[in-house]
């Protein structure tokens, strides 16, 4: 089986296993997803979803967040860790959206990358989830699973994994595929415990790289 054939089969099986998989960060506007994905660095999505409720209760729109003292933002987001740098990035990002983009999140990948605190993972998430454009989000689950399965071989750098996946994953499948990898990585192909290979829909395909039998 070629890498392409393996990838397509994994995509199909995960689609059947997790038909409703979606972004696990709660948001109803694009700018809120930008904030949440920044807060999610080294923090669980579940905690982020709680913390942002307090942020939006005090600062309900882009203008309000942009005008808020950075210290106040930091007080609210500190439970997510790295409060100082995250608050600084959020404040600067909202100011740019207000002043340069008329309060709208740009739908251009390169423009997103220029926003404070936005890297390739965040930009891809926005492109895929908000704008429905081709996207591959190489978060820790994605990187770990595609290496473990054998879709990529020993590549750990996020951008390099992303570039390899672009060669293998149909563009229209990228965003959903990455969301399903998150679900699978949390429920079955776990990192902190031995993976539950006995109940894995990919068990007969998986290379089980790095897994002790």
């Amino acid at each position: 089986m070629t890498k392409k054939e393996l990838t397509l089969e994994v995509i199909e099986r995960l689609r059947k296993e997790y038909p409703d998989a979606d972004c696990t960060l709660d948001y109803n506007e694009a700018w809120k997803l930008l904030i949440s994905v920044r807060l999610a660095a080294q923090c669980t999505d579940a905690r982020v979803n709680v913390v942002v409720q307090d942020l939006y209760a005090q600062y309900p729109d882009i203008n309000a967040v942009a005008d808020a003292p950075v210290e106040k933002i930091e007080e609210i987001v500190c439970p997510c860790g790295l409060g100082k740098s995250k608050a600084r990035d959020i404040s600067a990002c909202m100011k740019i959206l207000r002043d340069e983009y008329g309060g709208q999140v740009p739908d251009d990948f390169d423009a997103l990358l220029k926003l404070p605190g936005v890297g390739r993972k965040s930009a891809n998430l926005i492109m895929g989830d908000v704008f429905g454009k081709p996207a591959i989000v190489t978060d820790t689950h994605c990187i770990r699973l595609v290496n473990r399965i054998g879709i990529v071989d020993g590549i750990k750098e996020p951008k390099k994994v992303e570039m390899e996946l672009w060669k293998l994953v149909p563009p229209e499948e990228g965003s959903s595929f990455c969301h399903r990898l998150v679900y699978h990585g949390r429920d079955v192909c776990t990192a902190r415990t031995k993976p539950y290979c006995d109940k894995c829909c990919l068990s007969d395909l998986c290379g089980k790289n790095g897994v002790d039998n």
Side-chain angles (χ1 to χ4, degrees), residues 9 11-12 22 35 46 66 69 106 150 164 174 176 178 187 189:
E9 182 63 24
I11 288 171
E12 184 59 30
D22 204 350
I35 288 178
E164 284 302 304
S176 296
C178 292
D187 296 345
C189 199

Side-chain angles (χ1 to χ4, degrees), residues 22-197:
D22 204 350
C23 181
T24 52
L25 292 167
D26 295 337
Y27 71 99
N28 56 10
E29 296 181 75
W31 65 273
K32 291 182 178 180
L33 183 56
L34 262 181
I35 288 178
S36 288
V37 74
R38 179 65 186 98
L39 292 177
Q42 299 182 39
C43 180
T44 66
D45 290 359
R47 180 180 292 274
V48 171
N49 289 337
V50 172
V51 169
V52 292
Q53 293 179 29
D54 293 334
L55 181 65
Y56 303 145
Q58 295 189 46
Y59 307 108
D61 55 40
I62 287 177
N63 291 337
V65 180
D67 290 336
V70 176
E71 297 78 13
K72 292 294 185 182
I73 298 175
E74 183 182 349
E75 286 178 13
I76 297 171
V77 305
C78 67
C80 294
L82 304 174
K84 190 175 294 294
S85 62
K86 289 180 179 180
R88 183 182 64 240
D89 286 343
I90 288 169
S91 177
C93 185
M94 295 302 112
K95 284 181 168 66
I96 291 173
L97 293 185
R98 179 194 63 190
D99 298 340
E100 298 183 22
Y101 292 101
Q104 302 296 314
V105 175
D107 63 352
D108 177 79
F109 187 81
D110 291 330
L112 287 168
L113 284 181
K114 293 177 182 177
L115 295 173
V118 177
R120 295 189 67 86
K121 181 179 76 172
S122 302
N124 270 299
L125 184 65
I126 296 291
M127 293 297 286
D129 279 47
V130 174
F131 299 114
K133 296 188 176 183
I136 290 178
V137 181
T138 49
D139 66 358
T140 54
H141 289 291
C142 173
I143 294 169
R144 178 168 56 83
L145 265 64
V146 296
N147 275 281
R148 181 175 281 179
I149 294 166
I151 292 174
V152 303
D153 299 316
I155 305 174
K156 300 300 174 64
E157 184 182 326
K159 184 177 180 180
K160 289 183 179 179
V161 173
E162 180 191 335
M163 294 303 108
E164 284 302 304
L165 291 180
W166 279 120
K167 301 173 187 176
L168 301 169
V169 178
E172 69 277 8
E173 298 286 354
S175 184
S176 296
F177 174 54
C178 292
H179 286 321
R180 290 179 178 122
L181 287 173
V182 171
Y183 279 61
H184 195 64
R186 289 176 177 172
D187 296 345
V188 178
C189 199
T190 50
R192 295 182 181 179
T193 64
K194 189 173 181 179
Y196 302 100
C197 297

